[in-house]
Amino acid sequence: MRVTGGVEKRACTTALLHSKPERGTKARARERARDSDHGFEINGGNREDQTSDLATSELSMEWQPDEQGLQQVLQLLKDSQSPNTATQRAVQQKLEQLNQYPDFNNYLIFVLTRLKTEDEPTRSLSGLILKNNVKAHYQNFPPPVADFIKRECLNNIGDPSPLIRATIGILITTIASKGELQAWPELLPQLCNLLNSEDYNTCEGSFGALQKICEDSSELLDSDALNRPLNIMIPKFLQFFKHCSPKIRSHAVACVNQFIIGRAQALMDNIDPFIESLFALAADEDSEVRKNVCRALVMLLEVRIDRLIPHMHSIIQYMLQRTQDPDENVALEACEFWLTLAEQPICKEVLAGHLVQLIPILVNGMKYSEIDIILLKGDVEEDEAEGEDIDEDEDDDDDTLSDWNLRKCSAAALDVLANVFRDDLLPHLLPLLKGLLFHPDWVIKESGILVLGAIAEGCMQGMVPYLPELMPHLIQCLCDKKALVRSIACWTLSRYAHWVVSQPPDSHLKPLMTELLKRILDGNKRVQEAACSAFATLEEEACTELVPYLSFILDTLVFAFGKYQHKNLLILYDAIGTLADSVGHHLNSRTRTRTCSPFWSACRRWPQPCRAASCRTVSRVYQRCVTLVQKTLAQAMMYNQHPDQYEAPDKDFMIVALDLLSGLAEGLGGHVDQLVARSNIMTLLFQCMQDTMPEVRQSSFALLGDLTKACFPSRQALHRGVYANPGHQPEPRVHLCV
């Protein structure tokens, strides 16, 4: 694996440290240490009668590394940064071997804290590997090793390098999270004392460590178990709100912020000085300080609004400015204020006079940023994207854009405020809306469509007079050359589906349905998802109004089944189930039964006459479900055996697959026996029934029940085996369908 993107990631790729020691005597261990392939010799490793220093559990207080061993550790750290896969694999094996030795961790802390002539990435990597060792094996560290590491951390918290200080802070926090706050009584007092140091690096490093401890252990710090250290720490932190360094000020505010939601008594006792100190920092030049101030005010709005009400006008004016902050992180924190305020009973009273300022700010925040557009490939027009292969696993962009950002927060704030102010919001919004919706710049037009969707629920009554003109424009936007415009148009139209259905069918319903079905077959996965979800909403609203168009609808959905990939298939299944609920017995005709055969995965909700015998398409659905269950179980097994090497599987997909198989069993009845007989689903099901996740077990037993009802005779023998040997996995009867 190539190591990219920061020291934390590099550490994760190299520190796979859960492997058990190899078998053999101490002599074999010394042999391995001397082996030229391993290249690691400590304290005279050439002498067979001398025990390796790494194998010795008693460590001197003045521990010093063997020079040759130290050089080999350094080489190992440098090799771990190599892009070569074979080298990475060799490094991993060496790390697994070296973790047999108690004082290997001493070498790691020594590199981190003492070798200041080494490059910072190597030193930091050493610390992060040690952090992973602490997480996995700290309970097995000999006391001299643990004491040496803790002593080195505190003695070097003021390292001149910000990267090294941060790494030491992470290491301290990791040790503390292993239950060491109680066993390391000098930690908090010493860190607090170091805040008074005249050396900036020492003060900043100590504050960085304290911030991480406050984040990870906020409840413990406010408990009697540690004799309530917050009684000293909170007043101490407040003193540093006026520090000359913006970094220190930011640390101080961030530390106190950890205790707002929990209403720590020490903070409640100092709430007025805290708020006064926040006001003093309102115009701070540092963006990180401003972000933390905004975050504090948002949380205080939740838990101590009584203290903010006397200053509410000034706070609102401040948040209006910060929501437009050039730093998007600050703007996002400030935008959260409007979401939180909308939930408060005083919202309408205190905010009504500020809507004329607030609404344009929120609308402006709903545009895609340049980075968003790049990540979403929003500048790629449809004709340029045609013919590109879409990899089912390439979901990085989706993950990135699923993060909470200013655009989403602004839209959510407008949505909730529309529900508070209803049509009173429109005089401030309508003058902006027309210019947005018909703007030649697609980014601005897209934001206008989002605005229109955001206010749909709260301002529906006031928007009704404008919808006959707006609806054709929105439907036309479904054909826009920009995928992001098509996608948001799907969502906004779904928000007005109730109104569409209330009109004569030929005026809006038929054109909307026709264009949505085209978008279900769009070449862009994001548009597919939005269109499929929008169509499901339309199905719920239209119900039997869709009956005249069922053949067209089913033909489109069948084609989509062959076109869609993993993620969007789940949404398609939901749309099929919703269609069955909405039109009911109208799916009974023989032609429609044949047409909808690919969707037996949603059979649980299809009317009885629609259930038919298995076919090739049904078999494909069945096989994909079984394969998904098998792959998830295999990934879970690998993760359980090597948690440092493999990621935990997402079992939600396996749960869905089990539920779909239940639908097949119920829908196909005895015909499902043909599919079961060609697979080892019962063996896999037995494993699922023992899964640690309750939802997996629940779906597994449900499937077992459905299979028992559908094809009991052929499953009876296997059932006996399962229940007769509850601790033993039955042998697979046949090969898995792939």
Side-chain angles (χ1 to χ4, degrees):
M1 180 181 296
R2 181 165 184 169
V3 181
T4 58
V7 293
E8 181 76 35
K9 197 174 289 185
R10 287 197 294 271
C12 292
T13 61
T14 58
L16 304 176
L17 303 170
H18 280 295
S19 298
K20 298 179 181 178
E22 295 181 15
R23 294 179 293 106
T25 62
K26 287 186 178 180
R28 287 288 304 277
R30 289 196 299 273
E31 251 181 352
R32 288 195 300 271
R34 292 197 308 271
D35 194 299
S36 59
D37 289 336
H38 297 160
F40 198 92
E41 299 178 4
I42 305 294
N43 282 357
N46 290 326
R47 294 179 55 193
E48 294 189 7
D49 59 341
Q50 184 175 0
T51 302
S52 170
D53 185 52
L54 285 176
T56 304
S57 60
E58 295 188 10
L59 300 164
S60 166
M61 291 296 290
E62 298 299 328
W63 183 91
Q64 291 294 325
D66 173 81
E67 184 59 30
Q68 187 177 5
L70 180 61
Q71 291 305 314
Q72 293 174 28
V73 169
L74 287 172
Q75 187 59 49
L76 186 66
L77 292 170
K78 295 182 187 299
D79 289 346
S80 69
Q81 302 171 59
S82 167
N84 183 273
T85 304
T87 303
Q88 287 281 334
R89 191 178 297 113
V91 168
Q92 175 184 321
Q93 293 173 353
K94 290 179 182 178
L95 286 172
E96 291 171 352
Q97 294 162 5
L98 291 173
N99 274 317
Q100 300 173 66
Y101 303 107
D103 70 341
F104 173 56
N105 295 297
N106 284 25
Y107 280 82
L108 293 175
I109 190 67
F110 190 89
V111 172
L112 173 65
T113 59
R114 301 282 187 92
L115 296 191
K116 302 185 187 299
T117 57
E118 281 296 322
D119 61 274
E120 292 181 8
T122 297
R123 293 175 62 198
S124 179
L125 177 58
S126 181
L128 292 173
I129 293 176
L130 176 56
K131 179 210 70 171
N132 288 344
N133 277 359
V134 168
K135 288 178 67 175
H137 309 299
Y138 189 75
Q139 68 278 7
N140 299 324
F141 283 18
V145 173
D147 291 343
F148 181 68
I149 293 170
K150 291 191 288 188
R151 189 166 60 251
E152 285 295 298
C153 285
L154 288 176
N155 289 342
N156 293 275
I157 194 68
D159 192 279
S161 163
L163 177 61
I164 302 305
R165 292 200 300 272
T167 305
I168 293 174
I170 292 171
L171 183 54
I172 288 175
T173 309
T174 306
I175 295 173
S177 70
K178 302 298 290 185
E180 283 296 297
L181 272 180
Q182 296 95 322
W184 195 357
E186 69 273 20
L187 174 62
L188 293 176
Q190 189 162 343
L191 287 176
C192 286
N193 287 334
L194 290 174
L195 296 181
N196 299 322
S197 173
E198 295 182 0
D199 177 62
Y200 167 80
N201 293 333
T202 300
C203 180
E204 194 279 327
S206 301
F207 241 133
L210 283 167
Q211 181 179 334
K212 295 178 181 71
I213 292 172
C214 291
E215 291 171 359
D216 292 348
S217 309
S218 58
E219 293 184 7
L220 183 59
L221 292 172
D222 191 35
S223 68
D224 291 328
L226 296 178
N227 199 24
R228 298 195 176 274
L230 287 188
N231 292 335
I232 297 173
M233 293 169 66
I234 293 293
K236 184 82 169 179
F237 294 154
L238 292 177
Q239 296 174 11
F240 286 87
F241 278 38
K242 299 179 181 179
H243 197 276
C244 61
S245 165
K247 184 74 171 176
I248 301 299
R249 296 196 299 272
S250 176
H251 279 315
V253 180
C255 283
V256 180
N257 283 356
Q258 302 303 320
F259 307 100
I260 297 176
I261 295 298
R263 300 172 186 260
Q265 189 58 50
L267 177 56
M268 295 301 105
D269 292 342
N270 291 274
I271 194 67
D272 290 329
F274 175 47
I275 293 174
E276 291 172 8
S277 299
L278 288 175
F279 290 163
L281 293 175
D284 199 279
E285 61 184 16
D286 184 75
S287 61
E288 196 68 20
V289 174
R290 297 196 303 272
K291 183 184 79 171
N292 285 327
V293 169
C294 291
R295 183 175 294 172
L297 291 173
V298 170
M299 290 189 288
L300 287 169
L301 191 62
E302 263 187 80
V303 302
R304 292 307 303 263
I305 192 173
D306 58 308
R307 286 295 198 270
L308 298 186
I309 287 177
H311 314 283
M312 192 57 69
H313 175 78
S314 299
I315 293 173
I316 289 174
Q317 287 297 320
Y318 175 69
M319 287 300 188
L320 287 169
Q321 295 176 18
R322 295 283 70 83
T323 308
Q324 305 172 80
D325 198 282
D327 187 309
E328 185 171 328
N329 293 320
V330 178
L332 175 58
E333 290 295 339
C335 195
E336 295 275 3
F337 180 84
W338 314 115
L339 277 173
T340 305
L341 182 58
E343 298 173 353
Q344 307 302 320
I346 66 168
C347 176
K348 202 164 186 178
E349 175 189 349
V350 300
L351 197 54
H354 302 277
L355 289 180
V356 66
Q357 298 170 276
L358 175 60
I359 298 306
I361 293 172
L362 292 179
V363 168
N364 187 61
M366 292 166 71
K367 292 185 296 188
Y368 274 118
S369 69
E370 292 182 3
I371 295 178
D372 288 343
I373 294 169
I374 293 171
L375 290 173
L376 288 168
K377 300 180 176 64
D379 281 322
V380 179
E381 299 184 4
E382 192 61 36
D383 56 352
E384 296 174 358
E386 286 180 359
E388 292 183 359
D389 292 331
I390 301 176
D391 188 339
E392 182 175 350
D393 296 326
E394 288 182 356
D395 290 329
D396 292 344
D397 294 346
D398 288 344
D399 293 341
T400 301
L401 268 296
S402 66
D403 293 340
W404 191 240
N405 56 29
L406 181 60
R407 166 186 162 84
K408 294 180 181 180
C409 189
S410 298
L414 186 62
D415 188 347
V416 296
L417 290 174
N419 280 281
V420 171
F421 289 93
R422 300 290 176 179
D423 294 344
D424 292 341
L425 204 68
L426 293 179
H428 307 287
L429 192 59
L430 289 177
L432 303 171
L433 197 53
K434 187 171 183 179
L436 296 173
L437 288 172
F438 296 92
H439 200 282
D441 185 338
W442 74 268
V443 175
I444 298 177
K445 179 171 71 172
E446 193 276 345
S447 70
I449 299 172
L450 175 59
V451 169
L452 188 60
I455 64 171
E457 183 179 339
C459 302
M460 177 63 77
Q461 186 174 353
M463 287 302 299
V464 166
Y466 306 97
L467 291 180
E469 176 187 355
L470 289 174
M471 200 54 55
H473 176 67
L474 287 175
I475 293 174
Q476 185 179 1
C477 289
L478 291 174
C479 303
D480 195 280
K481 64 183 181 180
K482 295 295 184 181
L484 296 179
V485 175
R486 300 196 301 275
S487 174
I488 199 62
C490 291
W491 177 77
T492 295
L493 283 163
S494 73
R495 301 271 283 178
Y496 290 94
H498 181 76
W499 180 85
V500 168
V501 172
S502 70
Q503 306 302 301
D506 288 340
S507 59
H508 301 296
L509 176 60
K510 186 175 180 180
L512 173 57
M513 182 198 64
T514 301
E515 291 303 323
L516 275 180
L517 288 173
K518 291 179 182 178
R519 298 286 67 81
I520 285 176
L521 302 180
D522 197 285
N524 181 278
K525 288 196 297 183
R526 184 174 294 273
V527 178
Q528 292 174 4
E529 178 183 0
C532 215
S533 296
F535 194 77
T537 302
L538 185 65
E539 290 169 342
E540 291 175 339
E541 296 290 346
C543 294
T544 55
E545 295 285 340
L546 297 178
V547 171
Y549 317 106
L550 272 180
S551 295
F552 180 37
I553 293 171
L554 289 172
D555 286 342
T556 302
L557 297 180
V558 167
F559 191 83
F561 179 82
K563 182 183 181 72
Y564 279 19
Q565 296 177 350
H566 187 78
K567 178 181 176 182
N568 286 349
L569 270 177
L570 301 180
I571 302 170
L572 181 62
Y573 291 141
D574 181 67
I576 295 299
T578 304
L579 179 65
D581 288 340
S582 299
V583 302
H585 69 278
H586 294 286
L587 286 171
N588 285 0
S589 75
R590 184 181 301 274
T591 301
R592 288 169 186 160
T593 299
R594 286 198 303 268
T595 303
C596 63
S597 62
F599 307 112
W600 296 129
S601 52
C603 275
R604 192 181 294 279
R605 295 155 67 183
W606 286 82
Q608 183 72 27
C610 288
R611 301 172 182 176
S614 61
C615 64
R616 189 177 68 177
T617 310
V618 174
S619 180
R620 271 174 49 203
V621 177
Y622 179 88
Q623 290 170 8
R624 292 189 70 168
C625 290
V626 173
T627 301
L628 184 57
V629 172
Q630 184 209 26
K631 287 182 177 179
T632 307
L633 288 173
Q635 188 177 353
M637 181 181 298
M638 291 187 292
Y639 172 74
N640 290 334
Q641 293 175 352
H642 305 287
D644 287 338
Q645 300 181 35
Y646 299 97
E647 293 184 359
D650 183 351
K651 294 184 179 180
D652 287 344
F653 290 118
M654 181 166 70
I655 294 170
V656 170
L658 291 169
D659 291 342
L660 297 183
L661 289 171
S662 290
L664 275 171
E666 186 173 343
L668 295 174
H671 296 292
V672 78
D673 190 45
Q674 303 171 36
L675 300 173
V676 175
R678 294 197 300 267
S679 75
N680 64 347
I681 183 60
M682 298 304 293
T683 298
L684 298 173
L685 184 56
F686 181 61
Q687 297 178 45
C688 293
M689 290 160 58
Q690 303 175 78
D691 195 89
T692 57
M693 190 173 182
E695 293 82 359
V696 174
R697 298 198 301 273
Q698 179 179 355
S699 294
S700 304
F701 283 108
L703 175 55
L704 180 63
D706 288 328
L707 289 174
T708 300
K709 288 189 295 182
C711 48
F712 180 74
S714 62
R715 306 275 70 82
Q716 191 172 12
L718 183 54
H719 289 178
R720 289 197 205 100
V722 169
Y723 292 114
N725 300 281
H728 176 69
Q729 176 180 328
E731 292 295 323
R733 298 174 59 180
V734 290
H735 294 293
L736 175 69
C737 294
V738 292

